[in-house]
Amino acid sequence: MSSLAQQPGIAEQMAALGSAWLPTEPLSRHTSLGVGGPADLVRVRDLRRLAELIADLRRRGVNWRLLGGGTNLLVVDEGLEDVVLHLRREPDGVRFDGPRVEVPAAANLGTAVMECAKRNLGGMEGLIGVPGTVGGALHMNAGAYGTQIGDVVRAVTVYRGSAGRVEVLRTEDVRFEYRHSSFAANDILLSVSLELPERPYEEILERIKQCNQKRRVSQPIKEKSAGCIFKNPPGHSTGRMIDELGLKGARLGGAVISERHANFIVNRYGATAADIFRLMDLIREKVLKAYGLELEEEVIVWRN
Ligand code: EPU
């Protein structure tokens, strides 16, 4: 439980700030892995009042975290003391101006890729099967099949946690690296401006189909997972190493190393976060022993 839950009339006060109060919400409902204990969740309905809401939380001495699509997230079983903010999807969606596109950060990434394709705008085809929100993808510079989202971004409107205000950053102001950006954990991305190359719709669609097909055969897309669990060390494929160690199909509790892609841990039998952590430790240990490499988590872990 968060310290906010103990303050009287909190539901009414959150409502007055344009948000909804969902106490002790199981985060397993909000993560693609389907694990994670409870946290007090604030659903931000009115983005224009975000700064006011956060200033209010700060005054009350409440710590918060931002939940995106929950698709690259592993939350501990005991739940969180921090309040979790969740942005409502903007109903008006993607806006076009020639090759420039303005996408709300809370929009679904796959939907945004398709909307752009319909306007003959390509460059994001590789991202088609990456689950989650546009903001989440940008925060960690998600990528697949030769595309990284950071490459097509021109500007980002962001609530800067450190400054307590909304700023517009240009690409030059942000550093994008492999599965990492220079945004801070308390930066809340609000909208993203992309500049995309114009291409015929059929061409874009063909490439999207190819990427979908590759992903279908090489990744367990129908199972509960958080995508790749570890980063690839430079020059190595973590999936291949885990595979070579014969660990595909290894099970601890309800968690299994996918037979389809060894860098995916799937929640097949009602796993707990603890099962997943144990399987991660096992992988880390074996890879270190066999290859002398220390694996770095790709999945974002939320613990108290
Ligand atoms: N491989 C195996 N066994 C496996 C998995 C892979 O032998 O179980 C081999 C493949 O045959 C291939 C090589 O390893 O020769 C690389 O595999 P793959 O093309 O699947 O790429 P990856 O490096 O394992 C990366 C990203 C994925 C992204 C794909 C496609 C990371 C950690 N992973 O995987 O991203 O979808 O490339 O571009 O960078 C994610 O970020 O969550 C994610 C899944």
Side-chain angles (χ1 to χ4, degrees):
M1 197 205 282
S2 69
S3 56
L4 195 58
Q6 287 140 26
Q7 305 189 9
I10 201 65
E12 292 73 17
Q13 290 171 51
M14 288 297 123
L17 286 163
S19 290
W21 172 242
L22 285 81
T24 56
E25 175 72 6
L27 292 181
S28 54
R29 283 191 200 154
H30 299 271
T31 58
S32 56
L33 261 172
V35 304
D40 292 330
L41 196 133
V42 172
R43 183 155 287 143
V44 182
R45 293 212 168 116
D46 186 351
L47 278 187
R48 288 164 307 184
R49 304 191 64 186
L50 182 68
E52 214 182 319
L53 170 74
I54 292 177
D56 183 79
L57 295 179
R58 186 171 293 155
R59 260 196 312 277
R60 294 168 191 269
V62 172
N63 293 326
W64 56 269
R65 306 175 191 223
L66 181 75
L67 173 70
T71 55
N72 191 44
L73 185 62
L74 174 54
V75 183
V76 291
D77 295 313
E78 56 267 34
L80 300 172
E81 284 158 19
D82 291 354
V83 161
V84 171
L85 302 183
H86 194 222
L87 308 188
R88 186 184 80 124
R89 291 228 169 114
E90 289 291 291
D92 46 353
V94 186
R95 284 200 309 274
F96 294 89
D97 180 11
R100 281 237 170 192
V101 190
E102 189 74 23
V103 193
N108 175 276
L109 178 61
T111 310
V113 173
M114 285 314 294
E115 292 275 307
C116 293
K118 282 184 209 151
R119 303 279 185 133
N120 301 313
L121 294 172
M124 294 212 290
E125 297 89 333
L127 296 170
I128 188 64
V130 177
T133 63
V134 170
L138 195 62
H139 220 290
M140 58 162 315
N141 195 17
Y145 306 114
T147 311
Q148 298 195 99
I149 190 165
D151 298 342
V152 291
V153 168
R154 286 296 153 263
V156 185
T157 306
V158 53
Y159 169 84
R160 302 225 88 173
S162 54
R165 60 165 184 267
V166 175
E167 291 177 10
V168 179
L169 303 182
R170 298 156 75 81
T171 338
E172 307 85 84
D173 307 323
V174 189
R175 212 175 52 251
F176 291 108
E177 292 158 19
Y178 167 60
R179 298 295 191 274
H180 179 79
S181 75
S182 56
F183 290 112
N186 63 356
D187 282 338
I188 300 183
L189 275 52
L190 298 173
S191 80
V192 179
S193 169
L194 310 168
E195 193 169 323
L196 301 172
E198 289 191 50
R199 290 199 198 122
Y201 177 61
E202 294 69 31
E203 208 178 283
I204 301 172
L205 202 60
E206 188 48 40
R207 175 93 182 105
I208 284 176
K209 280 188 190 154
Q210 286 168 3
C211 292
N212 271 335
Q213 175 59 14
K214 275 195 203 160
R215 195 182 286 279
R216 256 197 307 274
V217 296
S218 64
Q219 298 183 2
I221 55 171
K222 295 216 171 110
E223 292 196 88
K224 290 185 205 161
S225 84
C228 283
I229 211 93
F230 294 107
K231 291 184 183 178
N232 286 337
H236 295 269
S237 159
T238 302
R240 181 184 293 145
M241 291 190 284
I242 303 171
D243 192 353
E244 281 172 0
L245 289 167
L247 287 173
K248 277 185 169 175
R251 173 179 173 185
L252 283 174
V256 178
I257 298 180
S258 165
E259 295 82 358
R260 194 160 287 203
H261 194 300
N263 196 11
F264 279 64
I265 292 179
V266 294
N267 173 2
R268 191 173 293 163
Y269 306 107
T272 61
D275 296 337
I276 295 168
F277 286 124
R278 282 197 298 143
L279 213 39
M280 289 169 71
D281 286 345
L282 175 86
I283 293 172
R284 256 197 217 98
E285 225 172 83
K286 299 249 181 196
V287 168
L288 181 61
K289 203 161 161 221
Y291 297 90
L293 291 167
E294 296 217 18
L295 292 180
E296 197 186 322
E297 285 158 10
E298 203 256 6
V299 66
I300 293 165
V301 177
W302 276 5
R303 46 169 68 86
N304 285 310

